[in-house]
Amino acid sequence: MRTFGAVLQALREHSGLSREEFGDLVGFSKHTVASVELGRRMPDLVLVERGEEATGNTGALRKSFPKLARQPGLPAWFRQWAGLEAGAITLYTYECRLIPGLLQTEAYARQLFTNQLPPLDDDQIEAQWVARAERQRLLRERPNTAFGFILEEHLFRRHTGGVEVTAKLIDHVLELAELRNVEIQIMPTEQENHAGLDGPMQLLETPRTQWFAYCEGQRAGLLISDPNEVSVLQRRYARMRSQALTLNDSVSLLQRMRGDV
Protein backbone atom coordinates (compact mmCIF):
# COMPACT_ATOMS: atom_id res chain seq x y z
CA MET A 1 0.00 0.00 0.00
CA ARG A 2 2.89 2.37 0.73
CA THR A 3 4.42 1.59 -2.66
CA PHE A 4 1.10 2.16 -4.41
CA GLY A 5 0.70 5.42 -2.51
CA ALA A 6 4.17 6.58 -3.51
CA VAL A 7 3.40 5.87 -7.19
CA LEU A 8 0.12 7.79 -6.91
CA GLN A 9 1.88 10.75 -5.32
CA ALA A 10 4.58 10.76 -8.00
CA LEU A 11 2.01 10.70 -10.81
CA ARG A 12 -0.05 13.43 -9.15
CA GLU A 13 2.94 15.70 -8.66
CA HIS A 14 4.18 15.01 -12.20
CA SER A 15 0.77 16.18 -13.42
CA GLY A 16 1.17 19.39 -11.45
CA LEU A 17 -1.77 18.73 -9.14
CA SER A 18 -2.03 19.47 -5.43
CA ARG A 19 -3.78 16.91 -3.24
CA GLU A 20 -6.82 19.17 -3.08
CA GLU A 21 -6.93 19.63 -6.87
CA PHE A 22 -6.49 15.91 -7.44
CA GLY A 23 -9.19 15.18 -4.86
CA ASP A 24 -11.63 17.47 -6.67
CA LEU A 25 -10.99 15.61 -9.92
CA VAL A 26 -11.49 12.12 -8.45
CA GLY A 27 -14.27 12.96 -5.97
CA PHE A 28 -12.36 12.41 -2.71
CA SER A 29 -11.16 14.79 0.00
CA LYS A 30 -7.52 15.86 0.16
CA HIS A 31 -7.31 14.00 3.49
CA THR A 32 -8.36 10.75 1.83
CA VAL A 33 -5.83 11.30 -0.95
CA ALA A 34 -3.14 11.88 1.67
CA SER A 35 -4.08 8.68 3.52
CA VAL A 36 -3.80 6.65 0.31
CA GLU A 37 -0.48 8.25 -0.66
CA LEU A 38 0.97 7.54 2.78
CA GLY A 39 -0.14 3.90 2.64
CA ARG A 40 -2.62 4.22 5.50
CA ARG A 41 -5.75 3.65 3.44
CA MET A 42 -6.82 1.07 0.89
CA PRO A 43 -7.49 2.93 -2.40
CA ASP A 44 -11.01 2.83 -3.76
CA LEU A 45 -11.58 1.46 -7.27
CA VAL A 46 -13.27 4.72 -8.25
CA LEU A 47 -10.22 6.67 -7.08
CA VAL A 48 -7.97 4.39 -9.14
CA GLU A 49 -10.01 4.77 -12.33
CA ARG A 50 -10.45 8.51 -12.01
CA GLY A 51 -6.85 8.87 -10.85
CA GLU A 52 -5.74 7.28 -14.10
CA GLU A 53 -7.69 9.86 -16.09
CA ALA A 54 -6.36 12.72 -13.98
CA THR A 55 -2.70 11.68 -14.35
CA GLY A 56 -2.53 10.89 -18.06
CA ASN A 57 -3.77 7.29 -18.29
CA THR A 58 -0.34 5.73 -17.80
CA GLY A 59 -1.89 2.45 -16.65
CA ALA A 60 0.37 2.31 -13.57
CA LEU A 61 -2.44 2.69 -11.05
CA ARG A 62 -4.84 0.36 -12.84
CA LYS A 63 -2.25 -2.39 -13.24
CA SER A 64 -0.94 -2.20 -9.66
CA PHE A 65 -4.33 -2.02 -7.96
CA PRO A 66 -5.07 -5.80 -8.19
CA LYS A 67 -1.84 -6.45 -6.24
CA LEU A 68 -3.44 -4.84 -3.19
CA ALA A 69 -5.37 -8.00 -2.44
CA ARG A 70 -5.16 -7.90 1.33
CA GLN A 71 -6.57 -5.25 3.64
CA PRO A 72 -5.87 -6.30 7.24
CA GLY A 73 -8.88 -6.17 9.55
CA LEU A 74 -11.54 -6.46 6.83
CA PRO A 75 -13.05 -9.83 5.88
CA ALA A 76 -12.47 -10.81 2.25
CA TRP A 77 -16.18 -10.71 1.42
CA PHE A 78 -16.49 -7.15 2.76
CA ARG A 79 -13.57 -5.51 0.96
CA GLN A 80 -15.38 -4.85 -2.31
CA TRP A 81 -18.25 -3.17 -0.47
CA ALA A 82 -15.78 -1.18 1.66
CA GLY A 83 -14.18 0.10 -1.53
CA LEU A 84 -17.53 1.30 -2.85
CA GLU A 85 -18.40 2.73 0.54
CA ALA A 86 -15.28 4.93 0.56
CA GLY A 87 -16.50 6.82 -2.52
CA ALA A 88 -20.26 6.76 -1.97
CA ILE A 89 -22.31 9.95 -2.14
CA THR A 90 -25.26 8.31 -0.34
CA LEU A 91 -25.09 5.49 2.20
CA TYR A 92 -28.13 4.02 3.98
CA THR A 93 -27.94 1.35 6.67
CA TYR A 94 -30.62 -0.63 8.50
CA GLU A 95 -29.36 -2.78 11.35
CA CYS A 96 -31.20 -5.08 13.75
CA ARG A 97 -28.30 -7.12 15.21
CA LEU A 98 -25.68 -4.66 16.41
CA ILE A 99 -24.66 -1.02 16.14
CA PRO A 100 -23.19 -0.49 12.64
CA GLY A 101 -19.41 -0.26 12.42
CA LEU A 102 -19.47 3.37 11.31
CA LEU A 103 -21.19 4.35 14.58
CA GLN A 104 -19.35 2.13 17.07
CA THR A 105 -17.13 3.33 19.89
CA GLU A 106 -13.80 1.60 20.41
CA ALA A 107 -14.99 -0.08 23.61
CA TYR A 108 -18.15 -1.40 21.93
CA ALA A 109 -16.21 -2.65 18.90
CA ARG A 110 -13.58 -4.39 21.00
CA GLN A 111 -16.34 -6.12 22.96
CA LEU A 112 -17.73 -7.49 19.70
CA PHE A 113 -14.27 -8.65 18.60
CA THR A 114 -13.66 -10.31 21.98
CA ASN A 115 -16.96 -12.20 21.67
CA GLN A 116 -16.13 -13.67 18.27
CA LEU A 117 -15.84 -17.43 17.77
CA PRO A 118 -13.37 -18.84 16.92
CA PRO A 119 -11.54 -16.47 19.27
CA LEU A 120 -9.29 -13.75 17.83
CA ASP A 121 -5.81 -13.10 19.16
CA ASP A 122 -4.69 -9.63 20.30
CA ASP A 123 -3.10 -8.76 16.93
CA GLN A 124 -6.26 -9.71 15.05
CA ILE A 125 -8.42 -7.64 17.38
CA GLU A 126 -6.11 -4.67 16.98
CA ALA A 127 -6.12 -5.00 13.17
CA GLN A 128 -9.92 -5.14 13.12
CA TRP A 129 -10.24 -2.04 15.27
CA VAL A 130 -7.71 -0.09 13.18
CA ALA A 131 -9.64 -0.97 10.01
CA ARG A 132 -12.95 0.01 11.63
CA ALA A 133 -11.60 3.29 12.96
CA GLU A 134 -10.28 4.11 9.48
CA ARG A 135 -13.72 3.50 7.98
CA GLN A 136 -15.34 5.75 10.56
CA ARG A 137 -13.39 8.71 9.23
CA LEU A 138 -15.79 8.70 6.27
CA LEU A 139 -18.47 10.40 8.37
CA ARG A 140 -16.33 13.49 8.89
CA GLU A 141 -14.07 13.39 5.83
CA ARG A 142 -16.97 13.20 3.37
CA PRO A 143 -19.32 16.00 4.52
CA ASN A 144 -21.07 15.94 1.14
CA THR A 145 -22.01 12.28 1.52
CA ALA A 146 -25.46 11.66 3.00
CA PHE A 147 -25.41 8.97 5.70
CA GLY A 148 -28.69 7.51 6.96
CA PHE A 149 -29.10 4.90 9.70
CA ILE A 150 -32.18 3.09 10.96
CA LEU A 151 -31.38 1.27 14.20
CA GLU A 152 -33.56 -1.00 16.28
CA GLU A 153 -34.25 0.31 19.78
CA HIS A 154 -33.21 -2.98 21.38
CA LEU A 155 -29.62 -2.58 20.12
CA PHE A 156 -29.09 0.00 22.87
CA ARG A 157 -31.19 -1.70 25.52
CA ARG A 158 -29.16 -4.92 25.25
CA HIS A 159 -26.26 -3.15 27.04
CA THR A 160 -23.56 -4.98 25.06
CA GLY A 161 -20.31 -4.60 26.98
CA GLY A 162 -22.05 -3.32 30.09
CA VAL A 163 -23.69 -0.13 31.30
CA GLU A 164 -20.62 2.11 30.98
CA VAL A 165 -19.94 1.00 27.40
CA THR A 166 -23.60 1.58 26.50
CA ALA A 167 -23.65 5.05 28.06
CA LYS A 168 -20.61 6.16 26.07
CA LEU A 169 -22.03 4.52 22.94
CA ILE A 170 -25.26 6.52 23.22
CA ASP A 171 -23.29 9.72 23.82
CA HIS A 172 -21.24 8.98 20.71
CA VAL A 173 -24.29 8.29 18.54
CA LEU A 174 -25.96 11.48 19.79
CA GLU A 175 -22.83 13.43 18.88
CA LEU A 176 -22.79 11.96 15.37
CA ALA A 177 -26.50 12.74 14.97
CA GLU A 178 -25.57 16.44 15.18
CA LEU A 179 -23.56 16.23 11.94
CA ARG A 180 -25.39 17.77 8.99
CA ASN A 181 -24.69 14.77 6.76
CA VAL A 182 -25.81 12.11 9.26
CA GLU A 183 -29.42 11.08 9.96
CA ILE A 184 -30.20 8.55 12.67
CA GLN A 185 -33.65 7.07 13.21
CA ILE A 186 -34.71 4.57 15.85
CA MET A 187 -37.16 1.79 15.06
CA PRO A 188 -39.29 1.27 18.17
CA THR A 189 -39.37 -2.20 19.71
CA GLU A 190 -43.17 -2.08 19.71
CA GLN A 191 -43.95 -1.67 16.03
CA GLU A 192 -46.93 -3.35 14.33
CA ASN A 193 -45.73 -2.71 10.76
CA HIS A 194 -42.09 -3.29 9.84
CA ALA A 195 -40.70 -3.53 6.28
CA GLY A 196 -37.29 -4.79 7.38
CA LEU A 197 -38.09 -8.11 9.00
CA ASP A 198 -36.02 -10.00 6.43
CA GLY A 199 -32.84 -8.66 8.02
CA PRO A 200 -30.22 -5.90 7.86
CA MET A 201 -29.30 -4.12 4.65
CA GLN A 202 -27.07 -1.39 3.29
CA LEU A 203 -27.62 0.75 0.21
CA LEU A 204 -25.23 3.14 -1.46
CA GLU A 205 -25.07 5.50 -4.42
CA THR A 206 -21.80 6.01 -6.28
CA PRO A 207 -20.64 9.33 -7.77
CA ARG A 208 -21.86 7.97 -11.11
CA THR A 209 -25.39 7.59 -9.61
CA GLN A 210 -25.22 3.80 -9.59
CA TRP A 211 -26.90 2.05 -6.66
CA PHE A 212 -25.61 -1.06 -4.91
CA ALA A 213 -26.85 -3.05 -1.93
CA TYR A 214 -25.12 -5.25 0.61
CA CYS A 215 -26.57 -7.88 2.94
CA GLU A 216 -24.45 -9.72 5.49
CA GLY A 217 -24.96 -13.00 7.35
CA GLN A 218 -23.01 -15.02 9.88
CA ARG A 219 -19.97 -15.86 7.75
CA ALA A 220 -20.47 -14.13 4.41
CA GLY A 221 -21.83 -11.06 2.71
CA LEU A 222 -23.67 -10.53 -0.56
CA LEU A 223 -22.99 -7.54 -2.82
CA ILE A 224 -26.07 -6.85 -4.96
CA SER A 225 -25.74 -4.92 -8.21
CA ASP A 226 -28.87 -6.09 -10.06
CA PRO A 227 -30.98 -2.89 -10.40
CA ASN A 228 -34.21 -4.83 -9.91
CA GLU A 229 -33.05 -6.37 -6.63
CA VAL A 230 -31.58 -3.09 -5.43
CA SER A 231 -34.90 -1.39 -6.20
CA VAL A 232 -36.74 -3.84 -3.94
CA LEU A 233 -34.44 -3.03 -1.04
CA GLN A 234 -34.72 0.70 -1.73
CA ARG A 235 -38.50 0.48 -1.44
CA ARG A 236 -38.22 -1.44 1.80
CA TYR A 237 -35.80 1.07 3.26
CA ALA A 238 -38.06 3.95 2.21
CA ARG A 239 -40.98 2.28 3.98
CA MET A 240 -38.91 1.78 7.13
CA ARG A 241 -38.02 5.48 7.17
CA SER A 242 -41.71 6.25 7.47
CA GLN A 243 -42.20 3.57 10.15
CA ALA A 244 -39.27 4.56 12.37
CA LEU A 245 -39.30 7.51 14.76
CA THR A 246 -38.60 10.94 13.30
CA LEU A 247 -35.10 12.38 13.64
CA ASN A 248 -36.10 14.56 16.60
CA ASP A 249 -38.07 11.80 18.31
CA SER A 250 -35.15 9.41 17.79
CA VAL A 251 -32.77 11.82 19.52
CA SER A 252 -35.26 12.24 22.36
CA LEU A 253 -35.52 8.48 22.83
CA LEU A 254 -31.73 8.12 22.85
CA GLN A 255 -31.49 10.86 25.47
CA ARG A 256 -34.07 9.09 27.64
CA MET A 257 -32.22 5.79 27.28
CA ARG A 258 -29.00 7.58 28.22
CA GLY A 259 -30.66 8.79 31.40
CA ASP A 260 -31.82 5.27 32.24
CA VAL A 261 -28.35 3.61 32.10
Side-chain angles (χ1 to χ4, degrees), residues 113-137:
F113 301 149
T114 302
N115 289 342
Q116 283 193 22
L117 291 173
L120 302 177
D121 61 33
D122 291 344
D123 289 341
Q124 290 173 315
I125 290 175
E126 188 64 26
Q128 291 212 13
W129 167 244
V130 169
R132 187 150 301 177
E134 182 69 21
R135 284 182 57 224
Q136 291 180 352
R137 295 171 60 179

Short mmCIF file of all heavy atoms in Angstrom, two decimals, residues 113-137:
data_model
loop_
_atom_site.label_atom_id
_atom_site.label_comp_id
_atom_site.label_asym_id
_atom_site.label_seq_id
_atom_site.Cartn_x
_atom_site.Cartn_y
_atom_site.Cartn_z
N PHE A 113 -15.40 -7.84 19.05
CA PHE A 113 -14.27 -8.65 18.60
C PHE A 113 -13.91 -9.71 19.64
O PHE A 113 -13.59 -10.85 19.28
CB PHE A 113 -13.05 -7.75 18.35
CG PHE A 113 -13.26 -6.67 17.33
CD1 PHE A 113 -12.59 -5.46 17.43
CD2 PHE A 113 -14.13 -6.86 16.27
CE1 PHE A 113 -12.77 -4.46 16.50
CE2 PHE A 113 -14.32 -5.86 15.32
CZ PHE A 113 -13.65 -4.67 15.44
N THR A 114 -13.98 -9.36 20.92
CA THR A 114 -13.66 -10.31 21.98
C THR A 114 -14.66 -11.46 22.02
O THR A 114 -14.31 -12.60 22.37
CB THR A 114 -13.65 -9.59 23.35
OG1 THR A 114 -12.68 -8.53 23.30
CG2 THR A 114 -13.29 -10.53 24.47
N ASN A 115 -15.91 -11.17 21.63
CA ASN A 115 -16.96 -12.20 21.67
C ASN A 115 -16.93 -13.15 20.48
O ASN A 115 -17.67 -14.14 20.46
CB ASN A 115 -18.34 -11.53 21.73
CG ASN A 115 -18.61 -10.87 23.06
OD1 ASN A 115 -17.94 -11.16 24.06
ND2 ASN A 115 -19.57 -9.96 23.10
N GLN A 116 -16.11 -12.87 19.49
CA GLN A 116 -16.13 -13.67 18.27
C GLN A 116 -15.66 -15.11 18.51
O GLN A 116 -14.80 -15.37 19.35
CB GLN A 116 -15.27 -13.03 17.19
CG GLN A 116 -15.92 -11.83 16.52
CD GLN A 116 -15.20 -11.40 15.26
OE1 GLN A 116 -14.48 -12.17 14.64
NE2 GLN A 116 -15.38 -10.15 14.87
N LEU A 117 -16.25 -16.02 17.77
CA LEU A 117 -15.84 -17.43 17.77
C LEU A 117 -15.61 -17.86 16.32
O LEU A 117 -16.45 -17.59 15.46
CB LEU A 117 -16.92 -18.31 18.40
CG LEU A 117 -17.11 -18.15 19.92
CD1 LEU A 117 -18.33 -18.94 20.38
CD2 LEU A 117 -15.87 -18.59 20.67
N PRO A 118 -14.49 -18.53 16.03
CA PRO A 118 -13.37 -18.84 16.92
C PRO A 118 -12.74 -17.57 17.47
O PRO A 118 -12.79 -16.53 16.82
CB PRO A 118 -12.39 -19.60 16.03
CG PRO A 118 -13.12 -19.90 14.78
CD PRO A 118 -14.24 -18.97 14.64
N PRO A 119 -12.11 -17.66 18.64
CA PRO A 119 -11.54 -16.47 19.27
C PRO A 119 -10.46 -15.83 18.41
O PRO A 119 -9.71 -16.50 17.71
CB PRO A 119 -10.96 -17.02 20.59
CG PRO A 119 -11.67 -18.30 20.83
CD PRO A 119 -11.94 -18.87 19.47
N LEU A 120 -10.35 -14.50 18.51
CA LEU A 120 -9.29 -13.75 17.83
C LEU A 120 -8.15 -13.50 18.81
O LEU A 120 -8.37 -13.35 20.01
CB LEU A 120 -9.83 -12.42 17.33
CG LEU A 120 -11.03 -12.46 16.38
CD1 LEU A 120 -11.48 -11.03 16.05
CD2 LEU A 120 -10.70 -13.21 15.11
N ASP A 121 -6.92 -13.46 18.29
CA ASP A 121 -5.81 -13.10 19.16
C ASP A 121 -5.70 -11.58 19.23
O ASP A 121 -6.43 -10.84 18.55
CB ASP A 121 -4.49 -13.74 18.71
CG ASP A 121 -4.06 -13.31 17.31
OD1 ASP A 121 -4.34 -12.15 16.93
OD2 ASP A 121 -3.45 -14.11 16.59
N ASP A 122 -4.79 -11.07 20.07
CA ASP A 122 -4.69 -9.63 20.30
C ASP A 122 -4.35 -8.87 19.01
O ASP A 122 -4.88 -7.78 18.77
CB ASP A 122 -3.63 -9.34 21.36
CG ASP A 122 -4.05 -9.80 22.75
OD1 ASP A 122 -5.26 -10.05 22.93
OD2 ASP A 122 -3.19 -9.90 23.63
N ASP A 123 -3.48 -9.44 18.18
CA ASP A 123 -3.10 -8.76 16.93
C ASP A 123 -4.28 -8.67 15.98
O ASP A 123 -4.46 -7.65 15.29
CB ASP A 123 -1.94 -9.51 16.26
CG ASP A 123 -0.64 -9.34 17.02
OD1 ASP A 123 -0.53 -8.40 17.83
OD2 ASP A 123 0.28 -10.16 16.80
N GLN A 124 -5.09 -9.73 15.92
CA GLN A 124 -6.26 -9.71 15.05
C GLN A 124 -7.28 -8.68 15.52
O GLN A 124 -7.89 -7.96 14.71
CB GLN A 124 -6.89 -11.10 14.99
CG GLN A 124 -6.05 -12.13 14.24
CD GLN A 124 -6.63 -13.53 14.37
OE1 GLN A 124 -7.01 -13.97 15.46
NE2 GLN A 124 -6.70 -14.24 13.26
N ILE A 125 -7.49 -8.62 16.82
CA ILE A 125 -8.42 -7.64 17.38
C ILE A 125 -7.95 -6.22 17.07
O ILE A 125 -8.73 -5.36 16.67
CB ILE A 125 -8.58 -7.85 18.89
CG1 ILE A 125 -9.35 -9.15 19.16
CG2 ILE A 125 -9.31 -6.66 19.54
CD1 ILE A 125 -9.47 -9.51 20.63
N GLU A 126 -6.66 -6.00 17.24
CA GLU A 126 -6.11 -4.67 16.98
C GLU A 126 -6.27 -4.30 15.50
O GLU A 126 -6.63 -3.16 15.17
CB GLU A 126 -4.63 -4.62 17.37
CG GLU A 126 -4.01 -3.24 17.30
CD GLU A 126 -4.64 -2.27 18.28
OE1 GLU A 126 -5.18 -2.72 19.32
OE2 GLU A 126 -4.60 -1.05 18.00
N ALA A 127 -6.00 -5.26 14.60
CA ALA A 127 -6.12 -5.00 13.17
C ALA A 127 -7.57 -4.68 12.80
O ALA A 127 -7.84 -3.79 11.98
CB ALA A 127 -5.63 -6.22 12.37
N GLN A 128 -8.51 -5.39 13.42
CA GLN A 128 -9.92 -5.14 13.12
C GLN A 128 -10.34 -3.76 13.60
O GLN A 128 -11.08 -3.05 12.92
CB GLN A 128 -10.80 -6.23 13.75
CG GLN A 128 -10.63 -7.58 13.10
CD GLN A 128 -11.91 -8.40 13.11
OE1 GLN A 128 -12.99 -7.90 13.38
NE2 GLN A 128 -11.79 -9.67 12.81
N TRP A 129 -9.87 -3.37 14.79
CA TRP A 129 -10.24 -2.04 15.27
C TRP A 129 -9.62 -0.95 14.41
O TRP A 129 -10.28 0.05 14.09
CB TRP A 129 -9.83 -1.84 16.73
CG TRP A 129 -9.92 -0.40 17.10
CD1 TRP A 129 -8.92 0.44 17.47
CD2 TRP A 129 -11.11 0.42 17.08
NE1 TRP A 129 -9.38 1.71 17.68
CE2 TRP A 129 -10.72 1.74 17.44
CE3 TRP A 129 -12.44 0.17 16.77
CZ2 TRP A 129 -11.63 2.79 17.51
CZ3 TRP A 129 -13.35 1.23 16.82
CH2 TRP A 129 -12.95 2.51 17.20
N VAL A 130 -8.37 -1.09 14.02
CA VAL A 130 -7.71 -0.09 13.18
C VAL A 130 -8.48 0.08 11.87
O VAL A 130 -8.71 1.21 11.41
CB VAL A 130 -6.24 -0.48 12.90
CG1 VAL A 130 -5.65 0.40 11.81
CG2 VAL A 130 -5.42 -0.37 14.18
N ALA A 131 -8.89 -1.03 11.26
CA ALA A 131 -9.64 -0.97 10.01
C ALA A 131 -10.99 -0.29 10.23
O ALA A 131 -11.44 0.52 9.40
CB ALA A 131 -9.85 -2.37 9.45
N ARG A 132 -11.63 -0.59 11.35
CA ARG A 132 -12.95 0.01 11.63
C ARG A 132 -12.81 1.51 11.90
O ARG A 132 -13.62 2.31 11.43
CB ARG A 132 -13.60 -0.69 12.81
CG ARG A 132 -15.03 -0.25 13.08
CD ARG A 132 -15.84 -1.37 13.70
NE ARG A 132 -15.88 -2.53 12.84
CZ ARG A 132 -16.47 -3.68 13.16
NH1 ARG A 132 -17.09 -3.81 14.33
NH2 ARG A 132 -16.46 -4.70 12.33
N ALA A 133 -11.81 1.88 12.67
CA ALA A 133 -11.60 3.29 12.96
C ALA A 133 -11.31 4.08 11.68
O ALA A 133 -11.74 5.22 11.52
CB ALA A 133 -10.45 3.45 13.95
N GLU A 134 -10.58 3.46 10.76
CA GLU A 134 -10.28 4.11 9.48
C GLU A 134 -11.56 4.34 8.69
O GLU A 134 -11.76 5.41 8.10
CB GLU A 134 -9.30 3.26 8.68
CG GLU A 134 -8.88 3.85 7.35
CD GLU A 134 -8.02 5.09 7.49
OE1 GLU A 134 -7.41 5.28 8.56
OE2 GLU A 134 -7.96 5.87 6.53
N ARG A 135 -12.44 3.35 8.68
CA ARG A 135 -13.72 3.50 7.98
C ARG A 135 -14.55 4.62 8.58
O ARG A 135 -15.24 5.36 7.86
CB ARG A 135 -14.53 2.19 8.04
CG ARG A 135 -14.06 1.09 7.10
CD ARG A 135 -14.97 -0.13 7.24
NE ARG A 135 -16.34 0.22 6.97
CZ ARG A 135 -17.38 -0.20 7.73
NH1 ARG A 135 -17.18 -0.95 8.78
NH2 ARG A 135 -18.61 0.14 7.40
N GLN A 136 -14.51 4.75 9.89
CA GLN A 136 -15.34 5.75 10.56
C GLN A 136 -14.99 7.18 10.17
O GLN A 136 -15.82 8.08 10.32
CB GLN A 136 -15.23 5.58 12.08
CG GLN A 136 -15.88 4.30 12.59
CD GLN A 136 -15.75 4.16 14.10
OE1 GLN A 136 -15.05 4.93 14.75
NE2 GLN A 136 -16.41 3.17 14.66
N ARG A 137 -13.79 7.38 9.66
CA ARG A 137 -13.39 8.71 9.23
C ARG A 137 -14.25 9.22 8.08
O ARG A 137 -14.31 10.42 7.81
CB ARG A 137 -11.92 8.72 8.85
CG ARG A 137 -10.99 8.44 10.03
CD ARG A 137 -9.56 8.23 9.60
NE ARG A 137 -9.01 9.39 8.92
CZ ARG A 137 -7.77 9.47 8.46
NH1 ARG A 137 -6.95 8.45 8.62
NH2 ARG A 137 -7.34 10.55 7.86
#
